[in-house]
Amino acid sequence: MDMIRAYTEIIKDNIDYDSLIAGCGMGDREYVEEILDLLTETVSIERDTVCIAGAEYPFQMVKGKLLKLNYEHIQYVLECLHKNTTKVRNIRAYLLACLFNAPSTINSYYRAEVNHDMYGGMT
């Protein structure tokens, strides 16, 4: 239990939990809590591999990537959740995939948004 509490505190610090909660609307607070729980659970339970989006990744790689998530990554994931209109059958797996991929996709996502906003109507 001490290890779980320690990881919870590390993750809270990394994602600036208090600021996230303070800046959230009512519905997003529950999302942030679920994200915190999922991150803590995923990094706390030692195993050989973690399945993300149908692919097996080494546990240490997943753990390292998830422990590097910050405030902006969580905001990005929340924004993506709000924009998703498709049926999600396994929300836990979907959310884990979003979190795992956030550092790799955040810059491209916002670049595409800017390009759409600035140049989308021009043909």
Side-chain angles (χ1 to χ4, degrees), residues 65 69 73-74 76-77 97-107:
K65 202 165 180 180
L69 293 176
H73 296 123
I74 304 304
Y76 163 62
V77 169
C98 289
L99 292 163
F100 179 76
N101 289 314
S104 304
T105 58
I106 190 170
N107 291 330

Side-chain angles (χ1 to χ4, degrees), residues 25-37:
M26 220 27 146
D28 284 345
R29 289 181 181 168
E30 288 80 18
Y31 281 139
V32 173
E33 286 296 327
E34 289 175 12
I35 287 169
L36 177 62
D37 290 345

Side-chain angles (χ1 to χ4, degrees), residues 1 5 14 19 30 41 47 51-52 60-61 70 79 81-82 92 97 101 103 111 115-116 118 121:
M1 282 311 241
R5 274 192 226 111
N14 291 350
S19 294
E30 288 80 18
E41 177 186 318
R47 60 204 117 173
C51 183
I52 298 175
Q60 291 301 327
M61 178 187 154
N70 61 35
E79 186 174 332
L81 287 171
H82 284 293
R92 184 185 183 286
N101 289 314
R111 170 59 61 198
N115 287 345
H116 175 269
M118 290 184 71

Side-chain angles (χ1 to χ4, degrees), residues 73-117:
H73 296 123
I74 304 304
Q75 287 290 91
Y76 163 62
V77 169
L78 290 172
E79 186 174 332
C80 290
L81 287 171
H82 284 293
K83 289 185 175 186
N84 181 43
T85 59
T86 60
K87 174 82 172 155
V88 177
R89 297 192 190 281
N90 184 341
I91 191 66
R92 184 185 183 286
Y94 177 79
L95 191 54
L96 184 58
C98 289
L99 292 163
F100 179 76
N101 289 314
S104 304
T105 58
I106 190 170
N107 291 330
S108 296
Y109 172 81
Y110 286 120
R111 170 59 61 198
E113 288 291 300
V114 167
N115 287 345
H116 175 269
D117 291 347

